[in-house]
């Protein structure tokens, strides 16, 4: 399963929509909820990011992200 994580680079400042960034992580999971939990844990352990939202990408959404040219899996 591939998840898109929306985040702010620091927890020290108030979040601003204009500064939201995203990354893509592939996680082995039994369910969508299990994948979200594993993704959050992984990002929190490896970074200082302030996670805003974690989204499971559907096949169509993944295809769109790949076509837009911004898609790249992140390894933490």
């Amino acid at each position: 399963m591939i998840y898109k994580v929306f985040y702010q680079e620091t927890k020290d400042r108030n979040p601003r929509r204009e500064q939201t960034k995203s990354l893509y992580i592939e996680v082995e999971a039994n369910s969508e909820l299990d994948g979200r939990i594993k993704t959050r844990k992984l990002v929190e352990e490896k970074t200082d990011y302030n996670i805003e939202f974690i989204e499971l990408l559907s096949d169509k959404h993944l295809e769109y992200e790949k076509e837009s040219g911004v898609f790249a899996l992140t390894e933490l």
Side-chain angles (χ1 to χ4, degrees):
M1 299 178 161
I2 297 179
Y3 291 86
K4 184 174 184 178
V5 179
F6 297 89
Y7 67 94
Q8 300 284 320
E9 287 187 320
T10 181
K11 294 179 182 178
D12 297 336
R13 288 177 273 157
N14 289 336
R16 288 189 175 165
R17 181 175 297 169
E18 300 82 19
Q19 296 175 346
T20 299
K21 298 184 179 186
S22 61
L23 58 87
Y24 305 89
I25 298 179
E26 187 169 16
V27 174
E28 295 289 328
N30 297 327
S31 68
E32 180 179 349
L33 178 59
D34 183 42
R36 286 178 192 250
I37 292 169
K38 287 181 178 181
T39 300
R40 178 175 291 278
K41 185 176 180 180
L42 180 64
V43 173
E44 286 179 345
E45 287 176 354
K46 303 286 184 177
T47 69
D48 290 329
Y49 296 161
N50 183 10
I51 299 171
E52 293 181 13
F53 187 71
I54 300 172
E55 173 182 28
L56 175 63
L57 296 183
S58 67
D59 292 338
K60 287 183 179 183
H61 192 164
L62 180 59
E63 207 50 49
Y64 171 79
E65 295 286 342
K66 287 180 179 179
E67 288 175 9
S68 69
V70 297
F71 179 80
L73 285 176
T74 301
E75 290 191 30
L76 299 176

